[in-house]
């Protein structure tokens, strides 16, 4: 009920679409996942993108469940943050004619887009938006060499931003770039360690996002 209420609130606020993560902690069955997302889609008339990130939720939506959900009106895509591109390619083969497949894993995004994914819902793009957009556009155009070149330039960011739990270091990086007034986080997240800050600053400079 909370998910429906919040999705409806987002619709009223005028958003273009909602990103709906799989339920965490209670570890539902695949049938439970199907019915959960089906109910939200039938209850709120707004485009919805499924979000599968088992590393965070301890809940993994199978490709077969996504295939079932892909035929439901209102469900237009999925952010696949598994990092398993073999599985991602299987998902593209199953569903790309009905929903858009997006990567949710920056280190493997170029490869998945080259395989047919429609883009990347990215963490690194918060820090390096132009480079990530250029990489996605190159990969979408099947320009392997350019996509690989750009991806190598920012590969260090993909890993460095996650040496502490996201969004700790992305928020600090934005603060360092002068784009936010602070790197404040709500508990239980806390300010990044000095060693992490020094490392991400070095990577930001080598990637060209910080002069």
């Amino acid at each position: 009920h909370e998910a429906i209420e919040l999705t409806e609130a987002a619709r009223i606020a005028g958003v273009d679409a909602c990103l709906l993560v799989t339920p965490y902690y209670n570890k539902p069955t695949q049938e439970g996942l199907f019915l959960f997302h089906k109910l939200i889609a039938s209850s709120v008339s707004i485009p919805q993108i499924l979000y599968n990130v088992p590393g965070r939720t301890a809940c993994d939506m199978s490709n077969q469940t996504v295939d079932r959900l892909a035929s439901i009106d209102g469900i237009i895509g999925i952010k696949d943050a598994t990092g398993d591109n073999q599985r991602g390619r299987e998902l593209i083969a199953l569903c790309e004619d009905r929903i858009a497949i997006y990567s949710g894993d920056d280190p493997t995004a170029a490869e998945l887009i080259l395989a047919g994914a429609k883009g990347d819902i990215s963490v690194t793009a918060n820090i390096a938006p132009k480079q990530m957009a250029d990489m996605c556009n190159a990969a979408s155009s099947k320009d392997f060499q350019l996509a690989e070149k750009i991806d190598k330039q920012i590969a260090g960011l993909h890993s460095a931003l996650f040496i502490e739990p996201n969004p700790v270091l992305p928020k600090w990086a934005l603060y360092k770039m002068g784009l936010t007034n602070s790197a404040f986080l709500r508990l239980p997240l806390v300010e990044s360690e000095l060693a992490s800050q020094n490392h991400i600053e070095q990577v930001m400079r080598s990637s060209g996002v910080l002069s």
Side-chain angles (χ1 to χ4, degrees):
H1 295 296
E2 181 186 47
I4 291 171
E5 289 171 7
L6 293 174
T7 305
E8 173 64 12
R11 185 194 66 79
I12 293 170
V15 302
D16 295 316
C18 288
L19 185 67
L20 290 158
V21 72
T22 54
Y24 47 84
Y25 185 75
N26 54 16
K27 297 186 178 182
T29 63
Q30 295 302 308
E31 182 65 15
L33 284 174
F34 172 76
L35 293 173
F36 173 79
H37 284 287
K38 178 184 178 183
L39 179 61
I40 300 171
S42 65
S43 300
V44 187
S45 57
I46 191 170
Q48 297 174 22
I49 300 174
L50 309 171
Y51 182 12
N52 190 33
V53 56
R56 289 234 172 202
T57 62
C59 174
D60 190 359
M61 183 184 296
S62 72
N63 284 358
Q64 290 69 35
T65 299
V66 178
D67 185 36
R68 293 176 68 194
L69 288 167
S71 298
I72 293 176
D73 289 343
I75 295 178
I76 63 167
I78 180 170
K79 175 181 177 180
D80 178 6
T82 64
D84 182 346
N85 276 355
Q86 176 57 40
R87 177 172 168 174
R89 285 189 289 270
E90 293 170 359
L91 191 58
I92 291 167
L94 278 172
C95 304
E96 68 172 341
D97 59 330
R98 288 168 291 147
I99 62 172
I101 314 300
Y102 299 100
S103 173
D105 180 66
D106 288 328
T108 61
E111 180 185 343
L112 194 62
I113 297 170
L114 285 162
K118 300 303 182 184
D120 178 25
I121 300 176
S122 167
V123 173
T124 302
N126 290 282
I127 312 304
K130 185 179 188 307
Q131 292 94 323
M132 284 300 299
D134 289 346
M135 184 279 289
C136 289
N137 288 333
S140 295
S141 300
K142 306 304 180 188
D143 189 338
F144 173 83
Q145 290 185 334
L146 180 58
E148 184 179 46
K149 178 183 177 181
I150 299 170
D151 198 41
K152 284 183 177 179
Q153 292 172 353
I154 54 176
L157 284 172
H158 297 334
S159 57
L161 288 169
F162 284 90
I163 57 177
E164 293 193 31
N166 181 43
V168 173
L169 285 170
K171 291 199 74 171
W172 185 87
L174 291 170
Y175 172 67
K176 185 68 178 179
M177 296 167 74
L179 297 174
T180 61
N181 294 325
S182 76
F184 173 77
L185 297 144
R186 290 180 296 173
L187 290 173
L189 298 178
V190 296
E191 184 179 357
S192 54
E193 297 180 0
L194 182 59
S196 300
Q197 294 174 9
N198 290 337
H199 177 67
I200 190 66
E201 181 177 353
Q202 181 180 2
V203 174
M204 289 166 68
R205 293 189 188 281
S206 65
S207 300
V209 300
L210 192 64
S211 57

